[in-house]
């Protein structure tokens, strides 16, 4: 059964539940890689004011190292984390009383669905970037990857931070130990089959996790399940009976792996997540440091270079689509007195290769939510992206650093260069 309802009744729900991106199937392996900006924000009488969250402090340091003459005032705020609405509240106030000199020129926003809201009425407070960011950069974002940054009138009002893309993380040492020279799975059924082998022969090792708010992104929209899909103006489709939904539900429900080879421990659980026991796991690029390279922070982390990022699995219907999680946006205020410099900084932050080593970019909930069995779950939508090579076969992973800015984020085709954590 398909259910349609008007988006006006949906706006009263939480920001997280209002994610309404259409799942897009993208084939092939076209690299979407806007060039890094060479523009800098040099010293001026008035400093450029940039608001960032604590996870972006390494970005600040890298920017200042690359642009030592830049006159910038860096301000730490919560990044609008979990829909707290800091930017919305500030903008609404300043639109009534006037924008102060301390207002930001550039902002990092952890919420992927804030830009269009803040760039349209009643706010209209974000700069249209098309005039300031080279067309070659904007065109480098593939498919619908910039949908979260594009207003209904077509204005580009943000740039993607770009570490949200899902991959299949594989501990190559453990994989070789347990599966020898067998190819890494390219399908969900292949992951489940490997999980069943681990459950029987090597209990305690896992092929993923289940039961938290990230299921929505990895499992449902990673398989094209239309549970919150825009199909028209003010209209969203919810169809849990769709074959993509029922097939992934049945696969996981009947696998017998939940609670063993598919962990039910949240990756940010207070008691720690057994990352060293993960043989493979679908997750975003930022898991590289936030979950796996945590050896100094938690006893269950793994040494750098342990995990390799492979293309994510094909959907249960055989299509090269997958979910994405987080990433965030770079916004530029339309009230900035230095729009060109502000836009250049946002472009640098979202496209510069200098940020390849900077992976700790997560903006995720700090509490775990209890979820019903898979067959009873529903989920908001997530952007989708393809990360498979020609004929659906994944390229071999290549050495590199987790967090290389993969231009375009969730809906672009996958990178040519795979990475290690």
């Amino acid at each position: 059964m398909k259910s349609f309802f008007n988006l006006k009744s949906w706006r009263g729900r939480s920001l997280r539940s209002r994610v309404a991106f259409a799942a897009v199937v993208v084939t092939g392996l076209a690299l979407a890689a806007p060039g890094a900006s060479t523009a800098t924000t040099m010293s001026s009488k008035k400093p450029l004011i940039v608001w960032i969250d604590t996870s972006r402090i390494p970005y600040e340091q890298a920017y200042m190292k690359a642009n030592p003459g830049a006159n910038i005032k860096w301000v730490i705020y919560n990044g609008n984390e979990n829909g707290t609405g800091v930017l919305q509240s500030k903008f609404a106030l300043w639109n009534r009383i006037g924008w102060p000199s301390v207002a930001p020129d550039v902002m990092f926003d952890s919420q992927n669905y804030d830009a269009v809201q803040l760039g349209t009425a009643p706010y209209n407070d974000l700069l249209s970037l098309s005039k300031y960011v080279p067309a070659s950069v904007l065109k480098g974002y593939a498919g619908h990857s910039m949908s979260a940054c594009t207003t209904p009138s077509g204005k580009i009002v943000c740039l993607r931070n770009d570490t949200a893309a899902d991959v299949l993380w594989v501990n190559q040492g453990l994989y070789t130990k347990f599966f020898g020279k067998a190819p890494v799975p390219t399908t969900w059924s292949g992951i489940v089959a490997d999980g069943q082998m681990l459950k029987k022969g090597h209990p305690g090792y896992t092929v993923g996790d289940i039961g938290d708010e990230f299921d929505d992104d990895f499992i449902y929209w990673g398989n094209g399940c239309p549970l919150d899909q825009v199909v028209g103006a003010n209209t969203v489709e919810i169809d849990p009976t769709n074959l993509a939904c029922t097939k992934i539900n049945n696969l996981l429900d009947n696998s017998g792996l939940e609670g063993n080879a598919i962990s039910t421990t949240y990756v940010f659980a207070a008691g720690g997540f057994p990352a060293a026991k993960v043989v493979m796991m679908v997750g975003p690029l930022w898991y590289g440091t936030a979950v796996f390279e945590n050896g100094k922070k938690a006893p269950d982390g793994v040494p750098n270079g342990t995990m390799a990022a492979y293309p994510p699995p094909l959907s249960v219907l055989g299509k090269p689509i997958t979910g994405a999680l987080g990433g965030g946006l770079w916004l530029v205020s339309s009230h900035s007195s230095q729009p060109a410099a502000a836009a250049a900084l946002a472009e640098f932050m979202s496209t510069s290769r200098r940020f390849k080593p900077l992976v700790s970019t997560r903006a995720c909930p700090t509490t775990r939510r209890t979820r019903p069995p898979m067959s009873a779950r529903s989920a908001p939508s997530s952007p989708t992206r393809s990360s498979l090579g020609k004929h659906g076969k994944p390229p071999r992973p290549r050495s590199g650093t987790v967090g290389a800015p993969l231009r375009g984020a969730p809906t672009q085709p996958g990178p040519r260069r795979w990475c290690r954590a």
Side-chain angles (χ1 to χ4, degrees):
M1 179 182 71
K2 293 185 179 181
S3 171
F4 297 91
F5 63 92
N6 192 285
L7 276 181
K8 293 179 179 179
S9 63
W10 188 244
R11 293 186 182 121
R13 301 174 70 92
S14 68
L15 281 173
R16 184 176 182 85
S17 67
R18 281 189 273 148
V19 181
F21 290 116
V24 180
V25 177
V26 188
T27 58
L29 188 64
L31 177 64
S37 170
T38 57
T40 61
T41 309
M42 303 309 291
S43 295
S44 61
K45 292 183 179 179
K46 181 183 183 300
L48 202 66
I49 300 175
V50 182
W51 284 17
I52 57 174
D53 62 357
T54 54
S55 292
R56 249 46 55 177
I57 291 176
Y59 281 54
E60 170 197 346
Q61 295 168 342
Y63 184 88
M64 294 309 296
K65 182 177 180 179
N67 303 284
N71 183 15
I72 300 177
K73 180 179 180 180
W74 302 90
V75 178
I76 304 299
Y77 87 118
N78 75 345
N80 246 17
E81 185 178 17
N82 294 335
T84 50
V86 172
L87 296 181
Q88 286 84 346
S89 298
K90 294 288 188 182
F91 288 9
L93 174 64
W94 295 338
N95 284 335
R96 291 197 302 272
I97 68 173
W99 279 64
S101 59
V102 296
D105 297 282
V106 181
M107 301 136 278
F108 175 81
D109 189 338
S110 64
Q111 304 303 301
N112 287 342
Y113 27 83
D114 279 352
V116 172
Q117 180 188 22
L118 296 172
T120 56
Y123 295 97
N124 295 313
D125 292 320
L126 299 184
L127 184 70
S128 177
L129 297 174
S130 299
K131 179 181 177 181
Y132 301 97
V133 178
S136 60
V137 173
L138 296 177
K139 290 179 181 178
Y141 290 91
H144 292 263
S145 62
M146 289 292 282
S147 60
C149 291
T150 308
T151 69
S153 64
K155 291 194 301 182
I156 304 296
V157 293
C158 71
L159 295 175
R160 300 301 300 265
N161 189 56
D162 231 6
T163 54
D166 286 355
V167 295
L168 178 63
W169 286 108
V170 177
N171 184 319
Q172 294 196 116
L174 290 179
Y175 190 85
T176 300
K177 177 180 179 180
F178 298 141
F179 301 106
K181 296 182 179 180
V184 171
T186 59
T187 64
W188 285 92
S189 58
I191 292 173
V192 166
D194 282 356
Q196 289 169 336
M197 291 178 64
L198 289 175
K199 177 185 177 182
K200 181 179 180 180
H202 307 282
Y205 290 90
T206 63
V207 295
D209 73 330
I210 203 170
D212 57 50
E213 51 267 73
F214 298 165
D215 292 354
D216 305 344
D217 306 278
F218 304 156
I219 297 173
Y220 286 111
W221 281 103
N223 282 285
C225 173
L227 290 175
D228 192 359
Q229 182 167 330
V230 174
V231 294
N234 294 321
T235 305
V236 168
E237 176 186 357
I238 300 175
D239 185 10
T241 64
N242 184 282
L243 183 60
C245 308
T246 58
K247 196 165 184 177
I248 186 62
N249 279 346
N250 291 336
L251 176 65
L252 296 178
D253 280 346
N254 297 328
S255 69
L257 299 181
E258 188 167 353
N260 42 76
I262 295 182
S263 172
T264 54
T265 301
Y266 182 38
V267 291
F268 298 114
F273 176 76
K277 294 291 187 178
V278 174
V279 178
M280 68 188 79
M281 180 179 190
V282 176
L285 283 169
W286 52 259
Y287 269 19
T289 53
V291 175
F292 298 117
E293 286 183 16
N294 253 340
K296 295 180 181 180
K297 301 177 183 178
D300 292 322
V302 297
N304 293 1
T306 301
M307 306 298 292
Y310 282 75
L314 291 167
S315 77
V316 288
L317 299 184
K319 298 178 180 179
I321 62 176
T322 186
L325 180 66
L329 313 170
W330 289 96
L331 316 175
V332 178
S333 170
S334 60
H335 304 272
S336 175
S337 61
Q338 305 177 73
L345 186 143
E347 182 187 344
F348 186 97
M349 290 297 196
S350 59
T351 66
S352 176
R353 292 290 179 182
R354 290 178 181 270
F355 299 126
K356 289 179 69 176
L358 308 181
V359 200
S360 184
T361 58
R362 71 181 179 90
C364 61
T366 56
T367 58
R368 185 181 177 199
R369 192 166 73 217
T370 301
R371 302 296 294 273
M374 284 297 304
S375 58
R377 297 175 193 163
S378 61
S381 76
S382 166
T384 60
R385 67 175 284 157
S386 163
S387 296
L388 289 175
K390 189 176 182 181
H391 307 309
K393 297 180 180 179
R396 294 186 62 82
R398 303 179 186 178
S399 61
T401 305
V402 179
L406 306 178
R407 314 296 163 232
T411 55
Q412 74 182 55
R416 286 196 181 106
R417 182 172 298 171
W418 301 98
C419 44
R420 295 179 186 275

